[in-house]
Amino acid sequence: MPDRPSPDAVRAYRAAQPAPLVAATGIVLDTRGRVLVPTASHGADADLPGGTVEDTETPEQGLARGLREGLGLTVPVGRLLAVDSRPPGRHGPPDRSLIVHVHLVGPLPPQEAAALTGARWLRPEEACAVLPARVAPRLRAGLAALHTGSFAHLVDGVPQPGSPAGLDPARRAALEHAGELDAASHRASRPKALTAASVVFTAADGRILLVQPAYGRTDRWNLPGGGIDSDLGEIPRAAARREVREELGLDLAPGRLLAVNWSHKPGRPARIRFLYDGGVLDAPTLARIRLDPTELLQWRTVPREELPALVKGALRRQITACLDARASGAGPLELHAGRP
């Protein structure tokens, strides 16, 4: 039986093999959505922060080191937004390809962002204008992946067919019409939507039941409800019942569907909300409410006239439309940002 090579021999063998260079770069954001672009040294192009990953590092570790050494920034490296690969000879050694991992960093709080020196905070379009042609596509695709909750696959800066983010809609349509997308690539590149289910409860005096979230915008109140676990096969009505049970401790079957609301912001996934009639809760039922402290801080019932001070406009319009539909027997209503 031949002798097994030593660990040192294995490492030496691997080091001698042709392999791609690996780099990691960060899209560092502040709370205003601006992008951090380090000040370029004399004669150098502007770039995003980061650098080459050493052979004992993961891309996340290499980026964390680059941020620490280059900017004095010690922060967690966030999720992977994009991967860009470049063939040999393009902005690197002629015999090595380059693979760049693009990660989200931040958003940094205002005090920490203001303390950084040797860098500029630019709006995304300004950052793309000053970055070189090899880097700007990574930023654009990475931000698209961030806003859609997805991932971008690039080769030489170009989003590939089937890339879940970054692929231009016109290019995607051309590929679809030409039959050049396989089934998996077609599913990956199609626009996605987020779905939720909410329940409209009122008290005997007609006041609306609202809940205060324990995370996110705690100054904005919501209806009981939450996301639909569609990946588990959950349907909207079942999600509404589950969310009420988890949040309020009440196991109540939702009534009829009052409305479906569609909302959309450019560059973001559409949001679809199913709104169900929860009926009138009497005093003993309200007294049985037990909040999940990980999700909710408190609950209250409010009259219609207090809604503008507590909930955002689109939700206020949805609630008002649902109450009117309940009173008139109309519906289900089709709403866009709360408007019929």
Side-chain angles (χ1 to χ4, degrees), residues 154-173:
L154 311 177
V155 174
D156 217 7
V158 178
Q160 295 302 288
S163 176
L167 190 64
D168 181 82
R171 172 64 175 155
R172 182 189 70 228

Side-chain angles (χ1 to χ4, degrees), residues 55 71 82 90 139 154 164 252 261 291 302 311 315-316 333:
D55 59 359
L71 295 169
R90 293 186 62 85
L139 175 59
L154 311 177
L252 303 172
N261 183 75
L291 300 182
V302 301
V311 303
L315 180 57
R316 173 178 52 80
L333 303 178

Side-chain angles (χ1 to χ4, degrees), residues 134-162:
R134 72 180 188 280
V135 179
R138 296 175 196 153
L139 175 59
R140 283 192 290 266
L143 290 174
L146 170 64
H147 297 324
T148 58
S150 192
F151 174 81
H153 169 208
L154 311 177
V155 174
D156 217 7
V158 178
Q160 295 302 288

Side-chain angles (χ1 to χ4, degrees), residues 18 51 56 75 110 139 145 208 239 258:
T56 58
V75 292
L139 175 59
I208 304 111
L258 295 174

Side-chain angles (χ1 to χ4, degrees), residues 35-46:
V35 179
L36 183 73
V37 178
T39 303
S41 59
H42 180 71
D45 289 334

